Amino acid sequence: MLRSFFISKKWALWAYLGLFLLLFFLYLQTSFNVALNSWYNDFYNTIQKPKINAIILNFDEAKFKQDFKITPSLLRELDIDSKDYNQSVVYEKAKAKKIQEIQNENKQRLNIETTQNSSYIDKDVFRQIIQILEEQKDYKEQNLTQISQKIKDKNLSLDQINSVVQSIIKAKEQAKNSFENANFINKFAIYYYQNLLKYFLHTPAVLEKPFYDLQDFYSLIFVFLGIAIPYVLIATINIYFASIYAFKWREAMTFSYLKFWKNKNDNIEGSSQRIQEDVYNFSKIVESLGLSFVKALMTLIAFIPILWNLSDLATKALFLNLDENSSFYFLKNTDGLLVYVALFISLGGLIASWFIGIKLPGLEYNNQKVEAAFRKELVYAEDNREKFAKNETIIELFTGLKFSYKRLFLHYGYFNIWLILFEQIIVIIPFLIMAPSLFGGIITLGIVMQINNAFDQVRSSFSVFITNWTTITQLRSIYKRLKEFEINIDYEKSLK
């Protein structure tokens, strides 16, 4: 099965150069996932602190009049006797109440805007200071008075200017440390993400601000598109090329088998199906599963360091009040706890899936046998309908087919109950772990989303066998049939 493609001079270029390209595309996809993980942190931190530009609401009397209805609850709200009331009086009171509500809401929004404006620094000022600092070699020793004279906004105090300078310096140091601490897979991702930020936000890391305006939001949306669009293009190319790669593998196996099958005079059961269907399914599934496993490995290498470093923040408040005599006290000083949680969940799920779906490979194999017998009878009937495909024969074959499928569907049914339940429960686990730190003010919403994404990437990579269990079951069945076919045509003996 592997020899015909990978140990053949004719197919060597396709086998190895094609494999290299597939792995390269997977590397790029993993890199874009890492960049997207960093974006989650910046984006959710931004929308957590929006700069309010109050939109003034107006009272629409025509719409109010159209929707106006006198109800017992409305009369109670207006403190009007439900037994004795005037409709016009009720309308005027309800109208006055609605107008008052709108005015109160407008006032609240304006108060928020006014409060924010007192500490808000325009993004153009940030940009001017960034440009001034770019001209200097030493970011840590700046003459704030000179900067104040150079910027157009003369109303800023030296303390405010110093705050902006420190924010810019911190962003540059943060970007530098992120790049230097990244492993070999993440280097490109961090470099690419920081350059996107520099293009759209003029700094390699998002600046810390009291509030972020709508322009900051749109800039981060463009950063997202700068990650998502290349990812979509590369993923599409990879899927297309992987399909061609699998078909080339099929071609190599098909003609390799045909040479030996033609020289075999025995009537081998289901040989046409083995050569036509199983060969293609084998190459396609092995290629798909192989890339899934390699992608999972790359994702683990990329995201485990990220999740490991973020775990300390997420679990800091989780075991804060844990007693020293507790059996779980050792977890308090465990580094990278979320990585271990992801691994434990995935291994537990894999073991459970193995036992719950232990009968599936055999059922798949038996199902293909009865399918082959039914198909064979129909193929023979195409040439001789009087001798083959008689009513009693078809009923007998289809009864066996129906019985086989019923058993298969039943076993897949309870396996899917387990699989769907497992996938739903693990969604909330990282949030349960992070909740004490979030509500304790240790981490922000951006960190929560970044950890959740990293946890999901690591957990899904550990769980690659669980998520592909049905496909693995099919592959085991196909491998068993092809191995029997190779024995029947003396494939291994001939190669020796």
Side-chain angles (χ1 to χ4, degrees), residues 263-281:
N263 296 327
K264 194 76 173 175
N265 294 324
D266 298 343
N267 185 18
I268 301 169
E269 184 272 326
S271 57
S272 59
Q273 183 187 3
R274 304 294 157 267
I275 296 174
Q276 184 267 329
E277 182 179 324
D278 285 344
V279 164
Y280 181 50
N281 286 337

Side-chain angles (χ1 to χ4, degrees), residues 3 260 490-496:
R3 189 176 300 177
F260 302 101
D490 297 330
Y491 184 73
E492 294 289 341
K493 292 181 181 178
S494 302
L495 289 175
K496 292 177 182 177

Side-chain angles (χ1 to χ4, degrees), residues 167-316:
S167 178
I168 295 169
I169 292 173
K170 184 177 179 180
K172 290 181 178 292
E173 290 178 349
Q174 179 185 337
K176 183 180 178 182
N177 291 334
S178 296
F179 183 77
E180 289 178 350
N181 295 331
N183 60 27
F184 70 99
I185 282 188
N186 293 350
K187 287 282 187 187
F188 170 74
I190 301 301
Y191 176 80
Y192 181 74
Y193 180 65
Q194 289 180 359
N195 276 275
L196 282 176
L197 290 179
K198 200 167 184 179
Y199 182 80
F200 289 106
L201 292 164
H202 309 287
T203 54
V206 175
L207 300 175
E208 288 187 8
K209 301 180 183 180
F211 308 102
Y212 297 91
D213 60 22
L214 192 58
Q215 188 60 45
D216 293 322
F217 171 84
Y218 287 139
S219 296
L220 281 172
I221 293 297
F222 282 118
V223 171
F224 171 80
L225 294 176
I227 301 170
I229 292 175
Y231 178 88
V232 170
L233 293 175
I234 290 170
T236 304
I237 293 171
N238 195 30
I239 292 171
Y240 173 75
F241 186 75
S243 300
I244 295 177
Y245 186 82
F247 194 84
K248 290 293 181 182
W249 192 350
R250 174 194 181 181
E251 186 178 350
M253 289 179 64
T254 299
F255 286 97
S256 179
Y257 282 164
L258 280 174
K259 287 191 299 183
F260 302 101
W261 177 65
K262 284 182 177 180
N263 296 327
K264 194 76 173 175
N265 294 324
D266 298 343
N267 185 18
I268 301 169
E269 184 272 326
S271 57
S272 59
Q273 183 187 3
R274 304 294 157 267
I275 296 174
Q276 184 267 329
E277 182 179 324
D278 285 344
V279 164
Y280 181 50
N281 286 337
F282 176 82
S283 60
K284 185 169 62 175
I285 292 174
V286 169
E287 170 267 323
S288 176
L289 284 178
L291 291 181
S292 295
F293 296 150
V294 173
K295 184 179 180 181
L297 180 61
M298 288 185 179
T299 302
L300 287 174
I301 296 172
F303 279 93
I304 281 181
I306 296 172
L307 187 60
W308 189 280
N309 294 329
L310 293 172
S311 290
D312 291 340
L313 289 172
T315 59
K316 190 170 289 186

